[in-house]
Amino acid sequence: MRALTDRGSVLEIWGYRELIGRLVQRELGSRYKRSVLGWLWSMLNPAATLAIYALVFGVLLKFDPPRAGNGRFDNFALYLFCALVMWNAFYGVITGAMSALLDLGSLLGKVYFPPEAPAVAALVTVLFQAAIEASILMLILICLVNVSWTFLLWPLLLVLLTVFALGIGLVLSVWNVRYRDVGYLATIALQFLFYVTPIVYPLSLIPERAMGMPVRDIIRLNPLSQFTEASRELLYGLDWPGLLRLGLMAVISLAVGATGWVMFKGRTRDIAEEL
């Protein structure tokens, strides 16, 4: 019965695809409204972030990246960008799901639409931004002749990541409606998660043990670490994570996404009353 209900809710989301499309257009249209540079900011923002991290961690702190897959160069900025684009997508889906429900949830008492529709619209918006960032990254790598068939697997990795992030974002959005402290706590937790995930540094830089704990193994168990490392392997190292590892990532992503979806649907009536 639960499976039929969940399937019905997915079909309902598809039935409201026009509404979701309008929400995506609304978000994209308002994002750079009254900006002189307009859509150029969609490229300038990640480029500026990349430049700052590359300066701090690649120049000042001297984190040497491994050789690229073609064996011709090593570039910290590109090595960083391969992981940063995944982090940006993860962060965007979670924060977008929480803010979208608060912004549009008040309409639930006036006009019916699936409560998860704003979160799905936020996810599509993030995918659009991630596609822009990834396209720029891949174009640079192609120009440097660092290209392989592994590029074709990267979109699948992005989809798995967004499903994983959506499950977390849906749960947090529900609790954020009841307790606004959740939004502040989530921001702090995401900042902490950024630095315990191998994004601005390689996993090999972490000591195997510290304070009597297997620190490297603990960080490796972080699912987000698997996504960032796999992204680097596919784009920068021109290698693939292996069928078993990709399979485990898919199982975890689908499990977290489905769990978050079910928990969100279980609180649908409460959401409409509390907003």
Side-chain angles (χ1 to χ4, degrees), residues 208-256:
E208 292 188 2
R209 300 189 66 86
M211 297 181 293
M213 296 186 297
V215 180
R216 185 182 297 180
D217 289 338
I218 293 174
I219 292 180
R220 185 181 285 113
L221 289 175
N222 170 14
L224 194 56
S225 297
Q226 295 297 323
F227 282 107
T228 56
E229 288 292 294
S231 180
R232 280 176 171 151
E233 291 171 17
L234 291 173
L235 299 181
Y236 188 86
L238 304 183
D239 195 6
W240 77 302
L243 188 60
L244 177 60
R245 188 171 159 205
L246 282 175
L248 288 174
M249 293 167 68
V251 170
I252 292 174
S253 297
L254 294 175
V256 172

Side-chain angles (χ1 to χ4, degrees), residues 146-169:
N146 192 72
V147 59
S148 175
W149 65 271
T150 55
F151 279 31
L152 300 177
L153 288 178
W154 193 87
L156 172 61
L157 191 68
L158 179 63
V159 169
L160 292 178
L161 174 73
T162 53
V163 171
F164 175 77
L166 181 63
I168 298 174

